[in-house]
Amino acid sequence: MTSITSIADWIGHNLLFSDYLESDQRTPIVTFSIPQSLLPGSLEGSEATSLGLLAPSIEFWIALAMCLLIGSCFNVVLSCITYQFIVLRRKKYNEANERSKDKDVSGGLTSIYLVGFGLIMPVCAVIPYYLIQLLGLKNKILKFFFGVQMVTAFFRCSEAIFGFLPTHVDESLYNMLAYNVFPVEAKFNSRGVMRSSWSDVVYYIKCGGLYMLLLGAYCSILTVYDYEPYRTSQGWGLLDVKLSHGFTYQQLVNNFLVAVLFQLYLTTFGYAINTATSLCGIQQHPMMLNPIFESSSPSDFWGRKWNMLVHGILKRGVYKPMRSHNFSRLVASTAAFIASGVFHEWLLSIVFFSAEDDLVGDSCIPPRCYRPGYGRNTLFFIWNAIIIGFEYAIGGAALFQLLKKHLPLILLSLLVSATALPFAHLFTNDYVRSDFFKDGQIGFPLAVIIKTS
């Protein structure tokens, strides 16, 4: 055990740069003098006199690649177990069920449930905490990344248990590995995994580079306001939630700006993972499709535009199993949204999992050590399930069809996004009020205002 700890400690310090990436330690590569008249209102009259440009941290991207590699190694093992003890046994069960339609063969599912629910899913749930502790990770983006890889493995296990893996995935162990190793959704056809080309790699690099610059510029603006232009007094806990607070213009502005920030983050990191996966010769589906500005309805936003990776695993891991047991479309959709809320709470616990050296004495002092308000994420997704329910009920009304037909798409999309905005801070506040985004900005070019002493 001592040797394992020593190896993990070496990896944490030399490949994951756990101490270096604990905070933004970059120094400007170039500075410019700026007149006081150009300073944001919050800095007028301060001693800030220059603008510094920070280059992206190479160490951040090396650490992210190492996280992807470590998570992929775990997923290789889990994929082999899943294929051998769930996928193949599910096939045998389906064949037996076809041959004996009048007989009860449900006992064949017992071993599948034991392996899936009793082994693989619990391992996925707990392994991120162990890795964070073992490797000494402190950067919250890297913690988040570990969590995302285990979330995908968790729900892909559910897909296998209930027999809803994407078409062709269950045809070979190689297909299963290609599908489950990376936190993106690989493309398959009748011949197996669809192969990527160098033009795909170049495309993802170009798109990723463009979004990195765009995200850096956007963060350069928001970081001046500490990612919260309008400071709010609402408490952090679930019991502090006030429904009326989300409808104030200050909170709506904050929520919209952070929603765009999340979209830029997911798009940029999506392209980064797409690049790595394409280098391995695997084509993938896109992760984000500009949902805030190109969605025609709430179901279009959540089902065909926003985070297609999560949509896919929830659809096949929760929605379809519910529908196969004769639950209505509304009930199955609500279950998927609640599952999304619960796993986002789980992600919060991973991101803000604190080692002993994050504490000051016995106290957790923000923003380095942070205690999130559990329950708020789930409440946010329940609200969106209600919105989807309303769409099912009245979305076909003449008024809504008229708006969809005649309004410009960007305006229609902003109206769709507005249905989630009053409650968006329930999801975003923990990330905004901690140093989550400060840990992320290390990887992007950034313009910072330098205050002279």
Side-chain angles (χ1 to χ4, degrees):
M1 184 61 69
T2 303
S3 59
I4 294 176
T5 303
S6 299
I7 293 171
D9 186 65
W10 185 89
I11 293 174
H13 284 88
N14 295 282
L15 297 178
L16 296 173
F17 308 99
S18 56
D19 293 326
Y20 179 78
L21 297 177
E22 182 178 3
S23 59
D24 196 343
Q25 302 181 35
R26 294 174 294 171
T27 56
I29 56 175
V30 63
T31 59
F32 303 92
S33 297
I34 52 176
Q36 287 279 330
S37 59
L38 295 181
L39 289 175
S42 60
L43 292 176
E44 286 182 1
S46 71
E47 296 178 338
T49 58
S50 59
L51 186 73
L53 296 181
L54 306 178
S57 168
I58 298 298
E59 290 85 355
F60 177 88
W61 293 102
I62 293 174
L64 200 66
M66 285 303 304
C67 285
L68 180 63
L69 179 60
I70 293 169
S72 296
C73 290
F74 275 96
N75 282 341
V76 165
V77 176
L78 294 177
S79 296
C80 291
I81 297 172
T82 301
Y83 187 77
Q84 184 65 40
F85 295 100
I86 296 179
V87 174
L88 293 183
R89 293 187 181 185
R90 182 84 204 188
K91 284 185 175 181
K92 291 181 180 179
Y93 166 79
N94 291 340
E95 291 170 359
N97 203 35
E98 284 294 321
R99 291 195 303 267
S100 309
K101 291 184 178 180
D102 296 330
K103 296 181 181 180
D104 183 10
V105 295
S106 58
L109 294 174
T110 303
S111 63
I112 293 174
Y113 292 154
L114 286 174
V115 174
F117 294 124
L119 175 63
I120 296 177
M121 286 183 166
V123 167
C124 291
V126 303
I127 198 66
Y129 307 104
Y130 180 74
L131 287 175
I132 289 168
Q133 186 76 27
L134 190 64
L135 298 169
L137 280 184
K138 298 175 183 177
N139 185 284
K140 291 179 174 59
I141 293 290
L142 300 185
K143 293 180 184 180
F144 183 86
F145 203 73
F146 268 131
V148 166
Q149 293 185 91
M150 291 301 102
V151 163
T152 57
F154 183 96
F155 283 102
R156 284 170 175 171
C157 179
S158 176
E159 296 173 2
I161 290 171
F162 293 105
F164 290 107
L165 287 166
T167 307
H168 305 302
V169 169
D170 61 353
E171 293 177 358
S172 69
L173 176 59
Y174 178 77
N175 285 6
M176 188 70 192
L177 289 170
Y179 174 63
N180 207 32
V181 164
F182 297 106
V184 289
E185 188 166 328
K187 291 182 178 180
F188 295 87
N189 57 25
S190 58
R191 291 175 294 179
V193 183
M194 296 179 66
R195 311 299 298 182
S196 63
S197 64
W198 282 109
S199 61
D200 294 321
V201 176
V202 171
Y203 170 79
Y204 289 130
I205 291 175
K206 288 169 63 176
C207 290
L210 176 62
Y211 269 92
M212 180 189 290
L213 294 173
L214 184 60
L215 180 55
Y218 194 69
C219 288
S220 298
I221 298 171
L222 287 188
T223 193
V224 174
Y225 304 98
D226 209 19
Y227 293 96
E228 194 174 16
Y230 292 100
R231 283 290 174 180
T232 58
S233 57
Q234 187 179 23
W236 299 357
L238 179 62
L239 298 179
D240 296 316
V241 173
K242 297 179 180 178
L243 298 182
S244 61
H245 186 81
F247 292 90
T248 64
Y249 81 87
Q250 296 95 333
Q251 190 64 67
L252 288 171
V253 170
N254 283 349
N255 290 353
F256 178 77
L257 293 175
V258 177
V260 173
L261 179 63
F262 263 103
Q263 176 169 311
L264 289 174
Y265 257 87
L266 290 172
T267 305
T268 303
F269 282 104
Y271 279 128
I273 301 171
N274 288 149
T275 301
T277 311
S278 293
L279 285 170
C280 295
I282 300 172
Q283 278 194 38
Q284 325 96 49
H285 294 281
M287 186 173 293
M288 295 285 281
L289 294 170
N290 197 19
I292 293 178
F293 301 104
E294 294 185 11
S295 296
S296 59
S297 67
S299 59
D300 185 46
F301 182 98
W302 292 110
R304 291 180 286 274
K305 296 289 194 302
W306 183 274
N307 201 337
M308 298 309 298
L309 168 67
V310 169
H311 165 72
I313 59 177
L314 288 175
K315 181 178 181 179
R316 294 183 296 269
V318 179
Y319 179 85
K320 285 188 174 182
M322 293 285 290
R323 293 286 283 155
S324 70
H325 285 80
N326 299 318
F327 287 97
S328 68
R329 184 174 62 157
L330 178 59
V331 171
S333 296
T334 302
F337 273 104
I338 292 174
S340 181
V342 172
F343 94 66
H344 279 94
E345 307 280 2
W346 171 29
L347 274 179
L348 282 180
S349 72
I350 294 170
V351 170
F352 299 113
F353 177 68
S354 298
E356 290 183 2
D357 56 356
D358 288 328
L359 303 176
V360 179
D362 293 327
S363 301
C364 177
I365 300 178
R368 188 71 245 164
C369 178
Y370 182 88
R371 297 287 185 255
Y374 293 113
R376 296 161 68 102
N377 277 211
T378 303
L379 190 59
F380 169 71
F381 283 103
I382 289 175
W383 165 257
N384 286 289
I386 294 171
I387 294 296
I388 294 295
F390 276 117
E391 182 187 347
Y392 288 165
I394 62 174
L399 173 62
F400 296 106
Q401 294 304 312
L402 190 67
L403 292 174
K404 184 180 289 189
K405 183 176 180 179
H406 294 287
L407 281 181
L409 179 59
I410 187 170
L411 182 56
L412 179 63
S413 187
L414 290 174
L415 289 174
V416 169
S417 301
T419 62
L421 281 184
F423 292 86
H425 57 288
L426 300 180
F427 178 83
T428 62
N429 266 9
D430 289 317
Y431 297 101
V432 170
R433 293 181 173 181
S434 66
D435 49 6
F436 178 83
F437 290 119
K438 294 184 179 67
D439 284 358
Q441 70 189 30
I442 300 173
F444 310 113
L446 199 71
V448 295
I449 294 174
I450 300 173
K451 298 180 181 180
T452 58
S453 56

